[in-house]
Amino acid sequence: MATPSHRAPLAELVEELLATDGPLPIVAAGEPVLRGGTERYDGQLDGALLFRFVEALRLTMHAAPGVGLAAPQVGVPLRIAVVEDPAPVPEEVRLARGRVPQPFRVLVNPSYEPVGTGRVAFFEGCLSVPGWQAVVARPAEVRLRCEDENGRAVDEVFSGWPARIVQHETDHLDGVLYLDRAELRSLSSNQTVAERWTQPTPKPAAASLGFELPG
């Protein structure tokens, strides 16, 4: 399927993407749509089209698989993202990373701000940067403000891994990739992470690769 022109109205872009069944193509780093920022959602898609688009994002996120997906990652520069995390991790990892299950959520026009000064660093990956992971230090707790798909206001504090997810996805909507915030000395292939750096924290990686962790 050809990539739709980004000059087309957003509704036309979305209709074209949804013309075929199945997961949507995920665009990779280097595509300008990942760096150009997004339009604030203000009714560019009618209710029925918004519902179809959200369901397509959900399907695509599950198929990838991932725990979040932002509209620019499927070529649509609109301020919408979806997140969901069943958190199928060992107890030791759950405790170290604060990774707890998160229900499916739609984030419309999200923004976040740190709560406190705590920062934590873990390996992080991205569906638009396939095959690689790197350590990213992020605020440990953030306040998320947005609306849901029904226009209801959301004002909630997230901590642990859920805070990381909402930061990562909101960053996408500002044209920011996780690599922009990463410790580049930590950059590792997925295979290397699986073979060497599966520990609950990246302390062994920092010691071996020569980078510092916060705190």
Side-chain angles (χ1 to χ4, degrees):
M1 183 179 70
T3 301
S5 168
H6 294 147
R7 295 192 178 92
L10 287 172
E12 292 181 21
L13 274 173
V14 173
E15 288 280 13
E16 187 173 346
L17 280 171
L18 300 182
T20 57
D21 293 331
L24 304 176
I26 296 176
V27 301
E31 289 290 340
V33 69
L34 292 173
R35 293 305 201 171
T38 51
E39 287 187 26
R40 183 176 177 84
Y41 176 73
D42 188 25
Q44 295 92 330
L45 314 182
D46 65 31
L49 184 55
L50 176 62
F51 175 81
R52 291 170 55 210
F53 183 49
V54 164
E55 285 302 300
L57 289 174
R58 185 178 192 174
L59 173 67
T60 304
M61 175 179 64
H62 288 169
V67 296
L69 189 68
Q73 293 182 272
V74 297
V76 179
L78 192 59
R79 203 165 184 81
I80 294 175
V82 297
V83 300
E84 183 178 11
D85 185 14
V89 296
E91 181 71 3
E92 184 182 15
V93 173
R94 183 188 70 79
L95 292 173
R97 302 180 188 178
R99 187 170 178 182
V100 294
Q102 287 297 297
F104 178 74
R105 297 173 179 263
V106 182
L107 312 182
V108 179
N109 300 326
S111 63
Y112 68 83
E113 61 185 30
V115 176
T117 59
R119 291 174 64 80
V120 290
F122 292 105
F123 274 102
E124 194 170 313
C126 179
L127 298 177
S128 290
V129 188
W132 298 93
Q133 298 182 46
V135 172
V136 184
R138 292 188 181 272
E141 192 171 45
V142 296
R143 183 178 184 182
L144 175 74
R145 293 185 177 92
C146 64
E147 298 91 44
D148 66 13
E149 66 273 33
N150 298 309
R152 291 187 290 258
V154 176
D155 187 340
E156 190 171 342
V157 173
F158 289 80
S159 60
W161 208 258
R164 182 169 297 269
I165 294 171
V166 299
Q167 289 175 79
H168 180 113
E169 299 309 327
T170 302
D171 281 356
H172 270 302
L173 305 179
D174 294 323
V176 175
L177 295 178
Y178 84 98
L179 289 175
D180 299 332
R181 304 189 186 281
E183 171 50 65
L184 291 183
R185 288 185 70 94
S186 71
L187 186 64
S188 305
S189 69
N190 285 347
Q191 180 178 344
T192 301
V193 171
E195 291 174 350
R196 288 181 174 271
W197 312 130
T198 58
Q199 300 87 359
T201 76
K203 288 182 179 178
S208 296
L209 299 177
F211 62 91
E212 294 186 3
L213 296 174

